[in-house]
């Protein structure tokens, strides 16, 4: 046993070092493959010997817990914000105030990047990360520990001498550009609304209920503030160095500046160099270096008097609005896009800008032919931030949002709280139908790859398909000889439906009949039901008819399903055309029920850990009980510890175990009580 504990500890230490090298130092020390192999070994060992699980195990970073509601936490000291400045004069005025208050002629400042993310407070006890919280209103924030644990550059355990306990560290969580691009790409594919910028994406991610989803989003964090006084640290630069030594990611950006000219230099350098960073910054922060001075200066109710932010001006140009066009997405939402006279901005040529929705057009008071200010701040998509009303021609008319769908002519509607107008003809509006079919055949849904590369377009154009079920009645003769063109790397390619292509298509469609129920449910494209939710709903209800009969309230009982999603599911089943399509799909033999396997049959024991101990008549029965724990979503542990919620106690349970369970206040269940629990 000892050798197993030793092996687990060694793997944890080794993998944590590799993680640090990769995510903090940006200097990988092992191949991804080797890392995964070791991680898998650790996972297997932890599963078999849960009693040796380490609190800083890298396996904790994959997430898994669901938080239905975030608990509020009060900050030890309020999380303040910073005063903003936009010019060197304002910075100089700040410096004068600082020097006057301290009665000195010059002070040293530490200049840092102002990371454009979401600020967090991390609390460590005995070196272990025990709590992470958002800033909230500054006094009280949300407990987002489960989500923050998935950020690989944040240490789960601090190693080293003299780590104070408790220790509070503050910093900024952000989403690097590459991760942001990937996330929005996925969202676009799923027909979801995109995040406007990495900062919003970070905020949205940190508030997600499913931490395993957060783990996939590649968030990162820079720490800049040590909120626990230490005798050995008497400057801000010293704090940063201490944080670095404890393996926090602090970056190589902070600079000690003697006097204002060096502060201005720092600002000028980063105003340009920020474009090379793989993440967004929205300015720089200048902080009085000596902590003793900081203390003397103190804070106002809102912000410290010893620090100031200098915000970069977003780059802005004036150009002409040529026209507004409207795009219809998969879900029918109509998005206005401004077509602009091409203009160069922050290194690229801008021809179009998103207007998001009708409210934005109204708020800008946008008129046809207006001269408009276009800005590219941290955001990747340029936006119109204002109009030059003075240069407007007298007879120019206001831009009016279209009243009818630009694709099918149906009058648009606007639902209560949403800013968006959408086309209600879900079933026949061409872009919506196309989107629905493309979603249906996509890899994570029915996975009919043979229909990729523009083939869906021609099926729609020829009128061969007007709902997903039609795919299953396509015939060889209908398809042979069709032709379509599609764009690949900006080049037009022609695809002809010859014998082999047609056979591939038909085989791909036929094979999709084997796709399991949970993916079929996802493929239906019910609004808001993503891949993960579909899985959970399928596992909970086990059949499409059970989902159809469920009320919104019953639907929200499923982990991850909120009121909006539940409502959308209920409405889906109220639509006669959906029902007809489902009927036809079921006739085609698609899986509308879960296959009964040893996999989990319900979530009755979700989130609870069990130990099964003693004998239950036959050894088989004990095995069965152990399997039931997992089938009903519980966790089976090997030994009695504080992590165990219940012990299922048979006859002859060891007295030591019984005593330990009693000491820890863990309830003992009889076999019958346990079985009753699974039926709850
Ligand atoms: S110091 C007591 N340093 O900017 C002051 N803040 O507007 C603590 N921020 O809420 C803030 N980078 O979210 C500080 N290097 C940095 C920062 C930084 C980004 C954010 C932080 C804060 C906001 C203030």
């Amino acid at each position: 046993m000892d050798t197993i504990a030793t092996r687990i500890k060694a793997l944890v230490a080794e993998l944590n070092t590799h993680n640090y090298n990769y995510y903090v130092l940006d200097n990988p020390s092992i191949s991804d493959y080797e890392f995964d192999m070791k991680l898998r070994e650790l996972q297997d060992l932890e599963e078999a010997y849960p009693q040796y699980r380490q609190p800083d195990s890298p396996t904790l970073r994959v997430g898994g817990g669901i938080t239905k509601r975030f608990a509020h936490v009060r900050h030890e000291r309020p999380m303040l914000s910073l005063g903003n400045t936009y010019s060197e004069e304002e910075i100089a005025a700040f410096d004068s105030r600082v020097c006057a208050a301290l009665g000195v002629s010059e002070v040293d400042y530490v200049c840092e990047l102002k990371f454009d993310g979401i600020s967090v407070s991390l609390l460590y006890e005995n070196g272990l990360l025990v709590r992470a919280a958002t800033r909230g209103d500054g006094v009280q924030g949300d407990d987002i520990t489960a989500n923050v644990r998935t950020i690989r550059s944040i240490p789960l355990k601090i190693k080293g001498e003299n780590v104070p306990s408790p220790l509070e560290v503050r910093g900024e969580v952000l989403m690097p550009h590459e991760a942001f691009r990937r996330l929005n790409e996925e969202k676009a594919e799923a027909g979801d609304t995109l995040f406007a910028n990495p900062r919003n994406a970070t905020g949205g991610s940190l508030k997600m209920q499913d931490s395993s989803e957060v783990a996939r989003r590649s968030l990162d964090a820079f720490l800049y503030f040590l909120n626990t006084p230490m005798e050995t640290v008497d400057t801000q630069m010293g704090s940063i160095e201490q944080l670095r030594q404890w393996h926090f990611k602090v970056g190589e950006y902070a600079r000690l500046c003697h006097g204002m000219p060096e502060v201005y230099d720092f600002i000028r350098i980063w105003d340009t160099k920020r474009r090379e960073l793989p993440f967004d910054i929205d300015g720089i922060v200048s902080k009085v270096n000596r902590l003793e001075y900081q203390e003397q200066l103190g804070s106002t109710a809102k912000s410290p008097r010893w620090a100031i932010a200098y915000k970069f001006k977003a780059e802005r140009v004036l150009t002409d609005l040529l026209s507004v066009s409207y795009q219809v997405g998969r879900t029918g939402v109509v998005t206005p896009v401004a077509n602009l006279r091409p203009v160069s901005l922050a290194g690229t040529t801008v021809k179009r800008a998103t207007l998001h929705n009708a409210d934005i057009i109204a708020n800008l008071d946008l008129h046809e032919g207006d001269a408009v200010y276009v800005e590219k701040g941290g955001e990747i998509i340029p936006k119109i931030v204002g109009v030059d009303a003075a240069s407007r021609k007298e007879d120019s008319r206001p831009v009016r949002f279209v009243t009818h769908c630009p694709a099918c002519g149906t009058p648009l509607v606007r639902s209560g709280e949403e800013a968006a107008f959408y086309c209600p003809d879900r079933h026949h509006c061409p872009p919506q139908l196309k989107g629905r079919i493309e979603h249906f055949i996509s890899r994570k849904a029915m996975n009919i790859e043979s229909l990729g590369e523009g083939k869906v377009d021609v099926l729609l154009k020829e009128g061969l398909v007007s709902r997903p079920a039609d795919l299953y009645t396509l015939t060889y003769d209908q398809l042979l000889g069709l032709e379509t063109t599609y764009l690949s790397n900006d080049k037009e390619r022609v695809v002809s439906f010859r014998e082999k292509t047609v056979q591939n298509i038909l085989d791909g469609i036929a094979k999709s009949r084997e796709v399991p129920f949970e993916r079929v449910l996802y493929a239906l494209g019910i609004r808001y039901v993503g891949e993960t939710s579909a899985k959970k709903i399928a596992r909970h209800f086990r059949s499409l008819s059970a989902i159809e009969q469920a009320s919104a309230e019953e639907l929200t009982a499923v982990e991850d399903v909120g009121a909006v999603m539940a409502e959308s599911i209920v409405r889906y089943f109220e639509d006669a055309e959906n029902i007809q399509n489902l009927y036809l799909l079921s006739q085609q033999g698609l899986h509308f029920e879960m296959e009964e396997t040893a996999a989990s049959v319900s979530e009755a024991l979700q989130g609870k850990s069990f130990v099964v101990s003693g004998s239950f008549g036959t050894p088989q029965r004990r095995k069965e009980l152990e399997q039931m724990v997992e089938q009903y979503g519980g966790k089976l542990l090997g030994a009695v510890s504080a992590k165990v919620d219940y012990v299922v106690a048979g006859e002859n349970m060891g007295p030591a175990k019984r005593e330990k369970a009693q000491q820890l206040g863990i309830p003992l269940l009889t076999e019958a009580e346990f079985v009753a629990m699974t039926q709850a």
Side-chain angles (χ1 to χ4, degrees):
M1 280 296 170
D2 257 359
T3 55
I4 287 170
T6 313
R7 178 70 187 147
I8 288 184
K9 281 192 187 147
L11 280 168
V12 168
E14 185 187 345
L15 290 169
N16 279 342
T17 303
H18 291 311
N19 251 339
Y20 171 70
N21 291 338
Y22 187 95
Y23 290 103
V24 179
L25 301 182
D26 229 349
N27 185 17
S29 47
I30 185 173
S31 74
D32 288 358
Y33 175 76
E34 280 172 287
F35 186 93
D36 286 344
M37 288 300 112
K38 287 186 193 256
L39 189 69
R40 201 170 294 170
E41 181 189 348
L42 177 61
Q43 257 161 350
D44 290 346
L45 284 174
E46 285 179 348
E47 211 154 283
Y49 304 95
Q51 64 273 36
Y52 298 135
R53 222 178 257 270
Q54 301 295 301
D56 59 338
S57 169
T59 59
L60 290 169
R61 299 203 189 265
V62 297
I66 300 286
T67 315
K68 273 270 175 193
R69 199 166 286 128
F70 294 101
H72 293 306
V73 291
R74 232 187 133 74
H75 298 299
E76 179 79 12
R77 283 198 264 162
M79 283 179 86
L80 302 176
S81 66
L82 294 172
N84 286 330
T85 59
Y86 295 88
S87 65
E88 286 185 6
E89 293 78 64
E90 286 174 280
I91 292 266
F94 161 76
D95 175 56
S96 306
R97 287 197 300 276
V98 167
C99 291
L102 295 172
V104 296
S105 59
E106 196 177 271
V107 290
D108 288 347
Y109 292 99
V110 177
C111 284
E112 299 172 15
L113 302 186
K114 188 167 186 305
F115 304 102
D116 195 10
I118 301 291
S119 49
V120 287
S121 143
L122 307 178
L123 189 67
Y124 289 82
E125 277 170 12
N126 302 317
L128 279 179
L129 175 66
V130 292
R131 199 196 73 191
T134 60
R135 175 171 183 273
D137 60 7
V139 176
Q140 191 169 270
D142 285 339
D143 184 330
I144 50 164
T145 314
N147 289 345
V148 166
R149 276 216 178 94
T150 67
I151 303 174
R152 287 165 173 77
S153 53
I154 293 182
L156 298 176
K157 185 176 176 184
I158 305 171
K159 296 199 186 70
E161 306 284 302
N162 306 328
V163 183
S165 181
L167 165 73
E168 197 205 342
V169 175
R170 292 178 183 178
E172 202 86 353
V173 174
L174 51 80
M175 188 178 285
H177 294 147
E178 178 56 24
F180 174 69
R181 195 191 50 74
R182 246 186 297 132
L183 175 62
N184 261 356
E185 224 169 66
E186 267 179 38
K187 288 201 151 265
E189 201 182 300
D192 284 349
T193 322
L194 308 190
F195 282 117
N197 54 48
R199 183 172 194 279
N200 290 1
T202 307
S205 302
L206 287 178
K207 289 296 187 63
M208 279 198 306
Q209 294 178 334
D210 183 352
S211 56
S212 61
E213 187 53 36
V214 185
R216 295 181 53 246
R217 293 208 172 174
S218 307
L219 295 172
D220 205 344
F222 286 97
L223 286 306
Y224 46 69
F225 193 57
L226 177 60
N227 198 24
T228 308
M230 289 182 64
E231 267 183 16
T232 48
V233 175
D234 58 5
T235 58
Q236 168 62 11
M237 213 52 178
S239 307
I240 294 180
E241 282 319 312
Q242 179 59 269
L243 292 174
R244 192 194 309 280
Q245 264 178 32
W246 282 332
H247 285 194
F248 286 98
K249 189 166 186 168
V250 293
E252 304 284 342
Y253 313 107
R255 198 175 106 188
L256 186 61
C257 296
H258 310 287
M260 293 315 282
E262 290 190 25
V263 173
Y264 302 144
D265 263 357
F266 189 88
I267 293 176
R268 271 181 231 134
I269 290 170
W270 283 107
D271 198 0
T272 311
K273 234 168 93 172
R274 66 181 155 128
R275 296 201 197 102
E276 294 160 27
L277 288 169
F279 50 82
D280 280 351
I281 61 173
D282 59 342
I284 69 107
V285 183
S286 187
K287 302 175 181 174
V288 171
N289 189 32
R290 273 175 67 172
L291 300 188
E292 191 195 325
Y293 281 170
Q294 292 190 1
E295 198 130 316
Q296 275 181 45
L297 290 160
S299 310
T300 66
K302 275 202 226 123
S303 47
R305 290 196 193 89
W306 44 264
I308 194 87
Y310 172 90
K311 300 260 270 194
F312 296 131
K313 283 183 213 77
E315 284 164 282
R316 175 184 285 206
V317 285
L318 195 62
T319 187
D320 296 322
L321 175 69
L322 300 179
S323 64
V324 176
S325 39
Y326 297 85
Q327 292 171 346
V328 188
R330 167 167 91 83
T331 54
V333 169
V334 178
T335 309
V337 177
N339 301 304
L340 307 168
R341 187 177 305 290
V343 60
S344 139
L345 175 65
T348 55
T349 304
V350 175
K351 295 183 200 129
R352 286 144 65 84
T354 172
L355 285 164
H356 292 292
N357 56 49
D359 289 347
I360 305 258
I361 295 181
N363 289 342
L364 285 169
D365 188 27
L366 196 62
H367 282 52
E368 288 167 4
D370 265 353
V372 294
Y373 291 102
V374 182
E375 215 171 69
K376 210 162 154 188
E379 281 110 60
I380 288 170
I381 311 163
K383 63 177 183 205
I384 295 183
V385 292
V387 303
D388 180 20
S391 70
R392 179 180 291 156
K393 288 200 200 80
E394 248 176 45
D395 58 350
S396 137
R397 287 176 304 175
V399 172
R400 292 256 176 263
F401 202 87
V402 282
T403 53
H404 290 70
C405 175
C408 71
T410 307
L412 299 180
V413 295
R414 189 178 213 182
S415 71
E417 326 78 73
E418 283 181 83
F421 278 97
Y422 68 93
C423 167
D425 190 357
R426 309 260 307 118
H427 299 288
H428 310 102
C429 175
Q432 295 192 62
L433 176 59
K434 179 175 170 209
R436 174 142 352 108
I437 303 279
E438 279 176 345
H439 173 75
F440 186 82
I441 65 169
S442 65
R443 198 169 45 82
K444 290 176 184 164
M446 304 306 281
N447 192 23
I448 311 179
E449 275 185 341
S450 53
L451 271 178
E453 301 174 336
K455 297 196 188 80
V456 168
D457 286 321
V458 69
L459 299 182
L460 294 170
K461 207 168 76 209
E462 296 292 325
L464 294 173
V465 170
S466 61
R467 58 185 154 212
D470 294 342
L471 294 172
Y472 293 91
T473 53
L474 290 171
T475 65
Y476 190 87
D477 292 342
Q478 281 175 322
L479 298 176
L480 195 66
L482 294 177
E483 204 165 79
T484 182
T485 53
Y486 81 103
L487 281 180
S488 160
N489 290 336
D490 276 345
K491 284 204 193 76
E492 233 176 50
R493 284 193 42 192
V494 181
V495 181
S496 315
F497 288 38
R498 297 206 193 91
E499 287 87 345
K500 202 160 160 246
T501 313
V502 172
Q503 201 50 56
N504 267 342
I505 294 175
L506 293 174
D507 289 350
I509 294 173
K511 192 155 176 282
S512 76
R513 289 192 171 90
E514 292 159 23
V515 163
F517 174 51
E518 50 196 47
R519 275 172 48 202
V520 175
L521 180 61
Y522 170 64
L524 297 179
I526 303 175
R527 201 159 179 205
Y528 303 119
V529 179
E531 195 197 348
T532 315
S533 330
K535 223 178 252 175
K536 290 189 175 149
I537 296 166
R539 288 185 188 165
H540 185 98
F541 288 100
R542 324 246 356 119
S543 74
L544 196 74
S545 57
I547 300 173
E548 184 178 352
Q549 279 153 30
S551 65
E553 200 180 6
E554 283 161 344
L555 286 161
T556 46
V558 181
E559 225 178 44
D560 240 14
V561 177
V564 176
M565 199 195 298
E567 190 55 39
S568 156
I569 297 170
V570 170
R571 254 190 270 132
Y572 179 88
F573 287 105
E574 283 166 3
D575 183 310
E577 295 213 31
N578 286 337
I579 300 296
Q580 173 72 0
N581 181 46
L582 291 175
Y583 170 75
L584 294 173
L585 287 175
S586 73
Q587 294 289 298
Q588 290 300 329
L590 264 61
H591 285 296
F592 274 14
E593 277 179 18
M594 288 296 273
E595 308 254 271
E596 288 306 333
T597 60
S600 110
V601 292
S602 96
E603 316 255 307
L605 305 182
Q606 181 71 32
K608 302 194 178 102
S609 303
F610 293 80
V611 165
V612 179
S613 181
S615 50
F616 298 86
T618 64
Q620 273 78 15
R621 182 60 185 160
R622 177 167 165 170
K623 266 248 132 46
E624 271 171 29
L625 293 171
E626 287 179 347
Q627 279 169 0
M628 278 169 77
V629 169
E630 290 183 334
Q631 282 173 358
Y632 287 92
K635 202 164 177 185
L636 186 65
L637 299 180
V640 177
S641 74
K643 284 190 200 135
V644 175
D645 295 304
Y646 298 97
V647 174
V648 186
E651 275 172 52
N652 318 322
M653 175 181 168
K657 264 193 186 168
R658 184 179 289 272
E659 200 173 308
K660 183 148 189 214
Q662 274 159 355
Q663 255 174 23
L664 292 168
I666 302 169
L668 302 183
L669 302 177
T670 63
E671 180 181 341
E673 282 170 335
F674 169 72
V675 173
M677 208 163 166
T678 62
Q679 304 309 315

